[in-house]
Amino acid sequence: MDQTIDTTTKAAEALPQRQRFIGLRRFAGNRLALVGAAIILLLLLVALFAPLLATHDPIFDQDYGNLLSGPDATHWMGTDDLGRDIFSRMLYGARISLQAALIAVGLAFCVGVPIGIASGYFRGVWDEWVVMRLVDALQAFPSLILALALAAALGGGFYNAMVAVGIGFAPAFIRLARGQAMSIRNLDYVMAARAIGAGHLRIMWRYVLPNAMAPLVIQATFAMGSAIIAEAGLSYLGLGAKPEDPSWGSMLRIAQGYLNTDPTLALWPGVAIFAVVLGFNLLGDGIREVFDPKLYR
């Protein structure tokens, strides 16, 4: 029986080796996807080596004799209203944005995917009248408005805000995982595994989940860009990172009061948010070309 199950497992692999090679070749030939990957790689390196790259402490190193100054040899991007080095705060802001993406999307993925797969696999009253009605209720609200309400209810703070964003993103993962499970549950290799006595949990873990991963990974990539925007928006409104923390959203909130006198305060964090979100979107398009079977000929 174990040999039969192993044979079925091999037959249920998501992509044959040749298709994987074609997908990677398509990704390598997609210049925009490579640009997105380069942007995300740069974000990872900046977040990882921020303590080594920063020229000043982003919070406590305040030059009160040099407020709102332009770029110079000491402060490469100038200083803010408290004399803090903008370049150093931008570097540490990459850490906060990356944390926001990983925490929010990770929570949404870990909560939404198991619920969605179980719901789509078993169907019944639980699926139609409990899970999907709850998903419909949550998706009736715009994700940022829902995150704003949940963050306010949880009391603000960075981690509470990311939990709120993750809850707001979870319905999309539930719906996507449910659809994938519904399309996979009656395929031949799943029915063969069920016929030889494999349990429901084993079928969902070894057959349904691996073959549903491709669209879920693509969704997660796009959701990371949205999570960064959500974190910046909540921090801008004072419900995300603490005011003194070097969040790009908090930097935009500070810059709002100086748009007429020093618009560059808003330029740096605004360009960073734009570039990172664009990078995740371009990377998501490239990953879609790797996994989408409709693109193979």
Side-chain angles (χ1 to χ4, degrees):
M1 180 179 295
D2 291 339
Q3 184 178 0
T4 306
I5 293 176
D6 292 337
T7 302
T8 307
T9 302
K10 293 178 181 179
E13 290 182 349
L15 288 175
Q17 190 68 29
R18 178 176 175 275
Q19 289 185 338
R20 291 196 185 101
F21 175 76
I22 294 174
L24 292 175
R25 188 175 62 183
R26 285 180 177 274
F27 184 88
N30 188 333
R31 295 182 179 179
L32 292 178
L34 293 178
V35 170
I39 293 174
I40 302 309
L41 178 60
L42 179 61
L43 173 69
L44 293 173
L45 292 176
V46 168
L48 181 62
F49 296 107
L52 299 177
L53 298 174
T55 57
H56 298 76
D57 187 282
I59 298 176
F60 300 108
D61 194 352
Q62 301 177 6
D63 186 358
Y64 292 110
N66 199 18
L67 304 180
L68 297 174
S69 68
D72 55 30
T74 304
H75 303 286
W76 297 346
M77 291 183 179
T79 60
D80 63 7
D81 59 332
L82 295 178
R84 296 171 297 193
D85 183 66
I86 294 178
F87 175 74
S88 300
R89 290 178 65 79
M90 288 293 300
L91 295 177
Y92 277 87
R95 281 189 160 189
I96 293 179
S97 294
L98 186 60
Q99 277 186 298
L102 293 176
I103 293 173
V105 177
L107 176 63
F109 190 94
C110 292
V111 171
V113 172
I115 294 176
I117 287 180
S119 180
Y121 180 83
F122 290 110
R123 302 299 306 277
V125 176
W126 167 259
D127 170 55
E128 291 291 339
W129 296 103
V130 179
V131 175
M132 293 313 300
R133 299 294 74 80
L134 179 61
V135 168
D136 290 340
L138 291 175
Q139 288 191 320
F141 298 92
S143 58
L144 185 57
I145 300 300
L146 178 61
L148 179 62
L150 291 174
L154 292 173
F158 176 75
Y159 292 104
N160 286 341
M162 292 308 97
V163 169
V165 174
I167 293 173
F169 286 176
F173 285 93
I174 293 174
R175 190 178 290 276
L176 181 58
R178 173 182 179 268
Q180 291 296 308
M182 289 173 59
S183 64
I184 295 172
R185 65 192 295 267
N186 292 323
L187 294 181
D188 291 342
Y189 59 85
V190 176
M191 296 179 68
R194 191 181 297 120
I196 61 178
H200 295 306
L201 186 60
R202 183 170 185 176
I203 291 174
M204 287 188 288
W205 176 253
R206 297 194 62 180
Y207 303 109
V208 179
L209 179 61
N211 289 281
M213 282 299 294
L216 292 171
V217 170
I218 297 169
Q219 174 68 21
T221 305
F222 287 120
M224 285 187 176
S226 300
I228 290 175
I229 294 178
E231 184 277 327
L234 292 175
S235 295
Y236 179 86
L237 296 172
L239 291 173
K242 293 182 291 186
E244 67 272 14
D245 288 340
S247 165
W248 291 340
S250 298
M251 294 174 70
L252 284 175
R253 177 166 52 84
I254 294 172
Q256 181 183 11
Y258 302 95
L259 288 177
N260 293 329
T261 57
D262 191 0
T264 58
L265 285 178
L267 175 65
W268 302 117
V271 169
I273 294 172
F274 169 79
V276 170
V277 174
L278 177 65
F280 275 115
N281 288 339
L282 294 178
L283 180 62
D285 285 335
I287 295 176
R288 182 184 63 83
E289 290 196 8
V290 173
F291 286 111
D292 192 348
K294 297 179 182 178
L295 299 176
Y296 299 114
R297 297 290 186 266

